[in-house]
């Protein structure tokens, strides 16, 4: 068992910022102490003077290898979790998928098989519920007891993952009874499909129309409906990938009423806009995701929501598709562009840039990227903080270094970067996953299979 001392860095958690030594024995943190105050014979000494020492990122929304639009997300569990480690994320929660007509159990088993022995960092699963029936509802209860405590449902994508209001209500009632959390993709997919058909019939086939038909009001309407259904069911609710200020207003209203309503947004909604979707020569396809990118004015509302906790988590919704051969499936028909963006490697850095830009504080950075996702999905304090007893998932971060983002240098298995050429301040230097150094400067020391499957408690915020 390796004993490791990280000395003299600024240790930042959601609660504190303190210059300290972090002492690690094997896989766990054993002390956070005033520098030099605790005698500790370490095998490895790391000088973190001038650096931040932060918990490894917890990305609660990724889709490695997701089948979508006739193809598969281009990161495997091996490549995607390696890229996550490079970017300072040490836990992901991905989504197993229930097939139509299939069981939740079969879906979970299939995703366990994809991930087993492949992951560089620890991982858990939510389940995508695509087919609500009596059997599914029973299985929700069983899986919750086994540590799969959250279930994603879709008000979008009719014919694929879509559930109607009755199905959603039934699943919410089950969640209300068992303490599970329903994660909602809140867009009115039935109305959107009408607008897609009308748009294509008018010859409006470019990627930019993806953003136009997925109207902000249809996100807000679905968010409102999901909240009311959750109220009727007596269930907590977590809205995923929220992008529209009108949808945020619905969440804010629910929270003001004291409801257990939570929401995440993603870096793409804070750093990219519809201008990117409108890039010429089909380049806009690189920015097609759902919910879609919004006009610039939505960003101020999202930053405000992040500061006042109406938005409590930043996840990536990492779901990469290569431009060549995958995004190109939608040439001449934006509705055939596979939905999703790469992001698992860039989240921690973009959020540090948000600190540099004055949008959020350093502690809020750690809260929304590490501590709250861990609490929301039942992993705290094992994950999401640096404290005695926590897993030694630790990032040593250089706040002064700059980097230029590029597909030529990133580690995600995708042929473009959404942030190509953009400079951000701050860089991951060293990453520990359960006490093992997996990234050291420019070197990768991790391995497929180091990452362990995580069973999770229920949401730790429910009142
Ligand atoms: O565009 C997206 N978000 N793709 C991934 C699937 C989903 O809806 O999260
Ligand atoms: Zn979604
Ligand atoms: Zn997603």
């Amino acid at each position: 068992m390796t004993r490791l001392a990280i000395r003299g860095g600024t240790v930042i958690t959601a609660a504190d910022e303190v210059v300290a030594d972090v002492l690690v024995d094997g896989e766990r943190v054993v002390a956070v102490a005033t520098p030099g105050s605790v005698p500790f014979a370490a095998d490895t000494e790391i000088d973190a003077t001038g650096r931040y020492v932060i918990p490894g990122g917890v990305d609660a929304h990724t889709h490695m290898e997701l089948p979508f639009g006739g193809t598969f997300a281009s990161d495997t569990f091996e490549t995607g979790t390696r890229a996550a480690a490079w970017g300072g994320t040490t836990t992901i929660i991905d989504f197993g998928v229930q097939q139509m007509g299939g069981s939740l159990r079969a879906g979970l088993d299939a995703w366990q098989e994809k991930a087993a022995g492949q992951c560089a960092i620890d991982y858990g699963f939510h389940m995508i519920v695509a087919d609500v029936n009596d059997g599914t509802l029973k299985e929700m209860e069983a899986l919750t007891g086994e540590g799969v405590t959250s279930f994603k449902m879709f008000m979008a994508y009719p014919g694929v993952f879509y559930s109607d209001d009755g199905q959603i209500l039934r699943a919410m009632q089950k969640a209300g009874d068992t303490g599970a959390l329903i994660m909602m993709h809140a867009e009115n997919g039935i109305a959107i499909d009408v607008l897609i058909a009308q748009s294509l019939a008018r010859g409006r086939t470019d990627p930019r129309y993806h953003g136009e038909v997925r109207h902000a009001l249809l996100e807000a309407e679905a968010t409102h409906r999901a909240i009311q259904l959750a109220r009727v069911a007596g269930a907590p609710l977590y809205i995923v990938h929220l992008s529209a200020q009108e949808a945020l207003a619905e969440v804010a209203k629910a929270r003001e009423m004291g409801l257990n309503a939570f929401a995440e947004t993603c870096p793409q909604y804070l750093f990219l806009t519809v201008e990117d979707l409108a890039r010429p020569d089909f380049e806009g396809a690189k920015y097609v995701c759902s919910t879609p990118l919004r006009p610039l004015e939505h960003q101020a509302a999202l930053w405000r929501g992040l500061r006042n906790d109406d938005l409590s988590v930043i996840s990536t919704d990492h779901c990469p598709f290569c431009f060549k051969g995958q995004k190109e499936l939608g040439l001449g028909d934006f509705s055939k562009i596979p939905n999703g963006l790469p992001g698992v490697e860039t989240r921690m850095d973009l959020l540090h840039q948000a600190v540099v830009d004055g949008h959020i504080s350093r502690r809020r950075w750690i809260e929304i990227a590490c501590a709250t996702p861990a609490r929301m999905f039942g992993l705290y304090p094992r994950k999401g903080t640096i404290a005695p007893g926590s897993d030694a998932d630790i990032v040593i971060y250089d706040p002064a270094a700059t980097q230029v983002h590029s597909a030529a240098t990133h580690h995600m298995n995708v042929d473009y970067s959404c942030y190509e050429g953009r400079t951000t301040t701050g860089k991951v230097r060293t990453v520990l996953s359960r006490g093992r150094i997996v990234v050291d400067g420019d070197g990768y020391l991790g391995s497929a299979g180091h990452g362990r499957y995580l069973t999770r408690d229920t949401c730790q915020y429910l009142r």
Side-chain angles (χ1 to χ4, degrees), residues 184 186 219-228 231 237-265 301-302 305-306 308-313 376 463:
M184 189 59 74
E219 184 187 344
E221 182 278 326
T223 303
H224 176 83
R225 188 159 31 102
I227 290 167
Q228 303 316 316
R231 284 177 77 184
L237 177 66
Y238 178 94
I239 303 288
V240 293
H241 49 52
L242 185 149
S243 67
Q245 58 186 340
E246 295 87 346
L248 177 57
E250 297 292 341
V251 172
K253 201 161 62 179
R255 290 176 64 78
E256 179 67 28
M257 291 169 68
L259 301 176
N260 280 320
F262 309 98
E264 68 173 21
T265 190
L302 297 184
L306 280 167
N308 70 18
D309 210 36
D310 286 334
L311 294 168
S312 3
V313 172
M376 190 68 70
R463 291 183 290 264

Side-chain angles (χ1 to χ4, degrees), residues 57-64 77 81 89-96 121-127 147-150 183 238 264 315-318 344 372-379 383 453-457:
V58 177
D59 188 345
H61 189 155
T62 67
H63 299 285
M64 309 304 171
F77 280 91
T81 57
T89 284
T90 52
T91 302
I92 61 162
I93 313 178
D94 207 272
F95 292 82
I121 55 168
D122 290 354
Y123 62 100
F125 286 113
H126 319 279
M127 278 307 298
V148 179
T149 56
S150 38
M183 308 168 74
Y238 178 94
E264 68 173 21
S315 306
T316 59
D317 195 11
H318 176 78
V344 78
T372 302
R375 280 202 170 101
M376 190 68 70
F377 297 106
L379 290 170
K383 305 294 187 187
Y453 173 64
L454 298 164
T455 56
R456 297 180 290 111
D457 291 335

Side-chain angles (χ1 to χ4, degrees), residues 64-405:
M64 309 304 171
E65 307 180 34
L66 180 74
F68 195 101
T71 185
F72 289 84
S74 58
D75 260 320
T76 62
F77 280 91
E78 182 181 2
T79 63
T81 57
R82 190 166 59 216
W86 274 107
T89 284
T90 52
T91 302
I92 61 162
I93 313 178
D94 207 272
F95 292 82
V97 180
Q98 178 192 26
Q99 300 302 318
M100 200 54 82
S103 67
L104 285 177
R105 172 80 56 197
L108 178 60
D109 288 350
W111 256 258
Q112 290 280 22
E113 208 169 302
K114 289 173 201 270
Q118 301 300 311
C119 294
I121 55 168
D122 290 354
Y123 62 100
F125 286 113
H126 319 279
M127 278 307 298
I128 287 178
V129 180
D131 190 359
V132 178
N133 54 49
D134 292 347
T136 304
L137 296 172
K138 271 208 194 85
E139 285 192 295
M140 278 178 68
E141 184 158 1
L143 293 189
T144 302
E146 293 171 26
V148 179
T149 56
S150 38
F151 299 86
K152 183 174 179 191
M153 304 194 77
F154 291 78
M155 301 168 103
Y157 308 139
V160 188
F161 295 136
Y162 174 83
S163 293
D164 67 26
D165 290 355
Q167 292 168 321
I168 289 169
L169 183 70
R170 291 186 79 201
M172 285 177 166
Q173 286 168 332
K174 179 56 74 177
D177 287 347
T178 58
L181 187 58
I182 297 293
M183 308 168 74
M184 189 59 74
H185 181 133
E187 288 186 290
N188 186 327
I190 301 289
I192 286 169
D193 272 8
V194 170
L195 296 179
I196 290 173
Q198 290 172 346
S199 182
L200 294 174
R202 285 188 200 126
R204 297 178 174 179
T205 60
D206 289 345
R208 56 182 286 210
Y209 296 107
H210 171 84
E212 294 198 4
V213 299
R214 303 188 91 90
H215 204 287
L217 294 178
L218 296 179
E219 184 187 344
E221 182 278 326
T223 303
H224 176 83
R225 188 159 31 102
I227 290 167
Q228 303 316 316
L229 289 169
R231 284 177 77 184
V232 170
L237 177 66
Y238 178 94
I239 303 288
V240 293
H241 49 52
L242 185 149
S243 67
Q245 58 186 340
E246 295 87 346
L248 177 57
E250 297 292 341
V251 172
K253 201 161 62 179
R255 290 176 64 78
E256 179 67 28
M257 291 169 68
L259 301 176
N260 280 320
F262 309 98
E264 68 173 21
T265 190
C266 311
Q268 52 268 32
Y269 305 121
L270 298 162
F271 290 91
L272 302 169
T273 72
V274 285
E275 298 296 320
D276 294 296
L277 257 180
R279 289 189 192 208
D281 302 324
F282 198 61
E283 283 265 315
K286 294 176 177 174
Y287 301 91
V288 165
C289 59
S290 296
T291 60
L293 303 182
R294 301 292 181 196
L296 184 63
E297 59 266 25
H298 290 252
Q299 290 182 358
L302 297 184
W303 287 120
R304 202 174 325 114
L306 280 167
R307 285 191 293 271
N308 70 18
D309 210 36
D310 286 334
L311 294 168
S312 3
V313 172
I314 300 234
S315 306
T316 59
D317 195 11
H318 176 78
C319 191
F321 297 98
C322 289
F323 184 65
K324 286 272 159 233
Q326 291 194 295
K327 291 287 187 181
E328 283 176 347
L329 292 168
L331 267 167
D333 178 351
F334 68 83
S335 73
K336 294 200 165 59
I337 300 168
N339 284 204
L341 305 186
V344 78
E345 189 174 351
T346 44
R347 182 183 68 131
M348 295 300 284
D349 287 327
L350 288 167
L351 292 180
H352 181 259
Q353 185 61 42
V355 173
V356 172
D357 293 344
H359 291 298
I360 52 174
S361 69
R362 281 190 289 253
R363 273 172 278 177
R364 186 66 179 149
W365 169 41
I366 300 309
E367 190 166 32
I368 59 183
C370 311
T372 302
R375 280 202 170 101
M376 190 68 70
F377 297 106
L379 290 170
Y380 194 89
R382 181 170 172 193
K383 305 294 187 187
T385 193
I386 299 176
S390 296
D391 280 357
D393 288 1
I394 297 171
V395 175
I396 301 174
Y397 198 82
D398 181 347
T402 56
Q403 59 179 309
V404 180
H405 294 264

